[in-house]
Amino acid sequence: MQAISRRLGHQSIKQSPASVSSFRSLCPLSDQYYGVENPRFASSLTTKGVGHLVRKGTGGRSSVSGIVATVFGATGFLGRYVVQQLAKMGSQVLVPFRGSEDSHRHLKLMGDLGQIVPMKYNPRDESSIKAVMAKANVVINLIGREYETRNYSFEEVNHHMAEQLAVIAKEHGGILRYIQVSCLGASPSSPSRMCRAKAAAEEAILRELPEATVMKPAVMIGTEDRILNPWAHFAKKYGFLPLMGDGSTKVQPVYVIDVASAIVAALKDDGASMGKVYELGGPEIFTTRQLAELMFDVIREYSRYVKIPFSIAKAMATPREVLLKKVPVPMPTPSIFNLDLIEAFSVDTVVSENALTFEDLGLTPCKLKGYPVEFLISYRKGGPQYGSTVSEKVTPQPWS
């Protein structure tokens, strides 16, 4: 038996010239990832998607899906859920980061050994962007910022960086899929500067890469979200919640895990989602007051509001924006009184009537009430079983 095994092993090593050439065509030995002298690198995105990639294993983190994804913005709110789902299907995830070594530590636990690869880069350095994109065949851009800092403006973060990534991905030649995450309400006529910058990024990306997929999620709800968490913190600290306008602005909040699932679903299809724009909203439409009532109900506090007209709210948020680049020290990060967020909440943000949605990706988004907002239990006074409202108070029982 050992002799037969050795003979079979020697026969399998011998390869015909045709098989060697086909292997080289699938796995080029050259390390040159940029340039147009090789016809393979002269094309833009393929129209096949990633369905034809070679897969190994039975699925799961220890298998190989064939996807090598560079996820820009992976250390952010949505990024951790996208990385988790990519790693769960056996993809290798390259995580560009520009902060400290601690910013990506939580991501390395989401994949098998060597599956999550942190790579330090500078978003203003084109060569470092090419380095983190060199080995990838999928690029997902989650970079975004809802407030300005002294170093980064809305236009640079939300528009110019996205356009630069699309240009580099086009020059790369080996990128099979490019997914850009924008935001619902992005429009050139939006009162929000961030939404206008996101709309400009969408236009620039589709101009460079017509096969790119654009995802436009609504306000995202989750454990690390930037709407219910600040509201609950403010309400617990001060006993009330400032309500911009009269609380009648309509929003269509979506669970963050559903957005991550939509990105992965578009990535795994046969290319049907390429070149399309999806608006990802939850199954329910809330007014901002109704969303706040849901928050108060979960944290078991009386709902107390102070209605602030939009004009006064903008006046209260303006000093930070005026002083941002005039003082030599960093300004505090705005939470409730964020001028651009106030501008965004001055208009309704819901999914368009004829837009492509979760259903077109074969998904059904979760309703908010229940598990998606259970993280707010941590704000309950006295622990999960206690609260301030009369109906939710727990009467201590005498020891028997």
Side-chain angles (χ1 to χ4, degrees):
M1 289 297 293
Q2 293 179 355
I4 294 174
S5 300
R6 283 196 295 270
R7 284 199 297 271
L8 290 176
H10 287 302
Q11 290 175 5
S12 64
I13 295 174
K14 297 178 181 179
Q15 300 288 341
S16 64
S19 63
V20 173
S21 61
S22 62
F23 174 78
R24 287 177 176 172
S25 65
L26 288 174
C27 304
L29 301 179
S30 173
D31 288 331
Q32 299 299 322
Y33 282 84
Y34 298 94
V36 297
E37 59 274 3
N38 190 326
R40 178 176 179 272
F41 302 134
S43 63
S44 183
L45 272 66
T46 178
T47 57
K48 297 180 181 178
V50 297
H52 65 288
L53 290 177
V54 177
R55 294 175 170 83
K56 296 180 181 179
T58 57
R61 287 181 171 83
S62 296
S63 61
V64 176
S65 69
I67 295 174
V68 182
T70 299
V71 183
F72 291 92
T75 57
F77 173 34
L78 174 60
R80 66 186 65 204
Y81 298 99
V82 174
V83 170
Q84 189 270 341
Q85 296 206 22
L86 286 172
K88 190 177 180 179
M89 58 187 280
S91 306
Q92 187 176 37
V93 185
L94 310 179
V95 179
F97 71 97
R98 66 178 184 88
S100 69
E101 299 290 335
D102 294 334
S103 62
H104 58 76
R105 287 198 310 175
H106 60 288
L107 300 176
K108 296 199 70 173
L109 305 176
M110 296 179 180
D112 211 338
L113 185 63
Q115 205 171 348
I116 311 298
V117 184
M119 303 181 71
K120 196 170 182 66
Y121 89 119
N122 182 354
R124 289 172 172 159
D125 182 8
E126 185 175 338
S127 61
S128 72
I129 296 176
K130 288 182 177 180
V132 299
M133 204 184 290
K135 303 292 183 181
N137 53 27
V138 168
V139 173
I140 302 174
N141 180 27
L142 309 178
I143 296 176
R145 181 66 66 83
E146 66 274 9
Y147 60 90
E148 284 189 305
T149 64
R150 296 174 68 241
N151 296 321
Y152 291 96
S153 65
F154 282 123
E155 290 73 22
E156 182 178 8
V157 173
N158 298 295
H159 174 200
H160 300 306
M161 284 185 185
E163 184 176 11
Q164 184 182 33
L165 294 181
V167 171
I168 294 174
K170 183 178 181 180
E171 294 174 354
H172 184 293
I175 302 299
L176 305 180
R177 293 299 302 271
Y178 187 101
I179 297 179
Q180 165 71 15
V181 176
S182 183
C183 66
L184 191 62
S187 168
S189 59
S190 173
S192 164
R193 283 180 59 197
M194 184 196 73
C195 292
R196 293 197 299 270
K198 287 285 190 182
E202 292 176 20
E203 181 182 354
I205 288 167
L206 292 176
R207 182 176 61 249
E208 295 291 337
L209 296 172
E211 304 89 352
T213 303
V214 177
M215 299 288 182
K216 302 179 69 170
V219 175
M220 290 183 289
I221 304 298
T223 306
E224 306 86 10
D225 73 19
R226 301 185 183 100
I227 178 167
L228 294 186
N229 274 304
W231 284 4
H233 182 76
F234 194 98
K236 293 293 292 185
K237 186 174 183 179
Y238 299 105
F240 70 95
L241 181 67
L243 201 62
M244 308 303 170
D246 57 358
S248 62
T249 303
K250 294 180 180 179
V251 293
Q252 198 168 347
V254 62
Y255 190 30
V256 63
I257 293 182
D258 290 333
V259 178
S261 299
I263 294 172
V264 174
L267 188 62
K268 292 194 295 186
D269 67 14
D270 59 354
S273 61
M274 298 182 73
K276 296 180 180 178
V277 178
Y278 293 85
E279 296 188 5
L280 307 179
E284 301 168 299
I285 296 177
F286 294 82
T287 63
T288 52
R289 185 186 181 105
Q290 290 172 337
L291 190 59
E293 288 285 353
L294 176 62
M295 179 271 297
F296 275 114
D297 182 61
V298 176
I299 68 173
R300 294 179 178 172
E301 292 287 353
Y302 290 107
S303 54
R304 300 183 181 91
Y305 304 99
V306 174
K307 293 183 179 180
I308 303 177
F310 282 113
S311 57
I312 297 178
K314 292 175 186 177
M316 295 173 67
T318 298
R320 178 191 181 274
E321 308 302 321
V322 173
L323 297 174
L324 183 63
K325 296 183 179 180
K326 293 185 178 180
V327 296
V329 295
M331 297 296 292
T333 301
S335 55
I336 299 292
F337 293 99
N338 179 342
L339 180 59
D340 198 76
L341 193 61
I342 294 170
E343 296 278 10
F345 274 131
S346 64
V347 295
D348 295 343
T349 308
V350 295
V351 174
S352 306
E353 184 177 354
N354 299 318
L356 297 174
T357 61
F358 281 105
E359 286 71 21
D360 297 284
L361 294 168
L363 301 173
T364 302
C366 298
K367 292 185 177 181
L368 286 193
K369 194 166 185 179
Y371 180 75
V373 292
E374 279 190 358
F375 66 92
L376 292 174
I377 290 176
S378 61
Y379 291 96
R380 289 180 182 175
K381 186 183 299 183
Q385 301 302 322
Y386 289 80
S388 298
T389 57
V390 174
S391 61
E392 297 291 352
K393 279 187 176 180
V394 176
T395 304
Q397 298 296 328
W399 293 99
S400 57

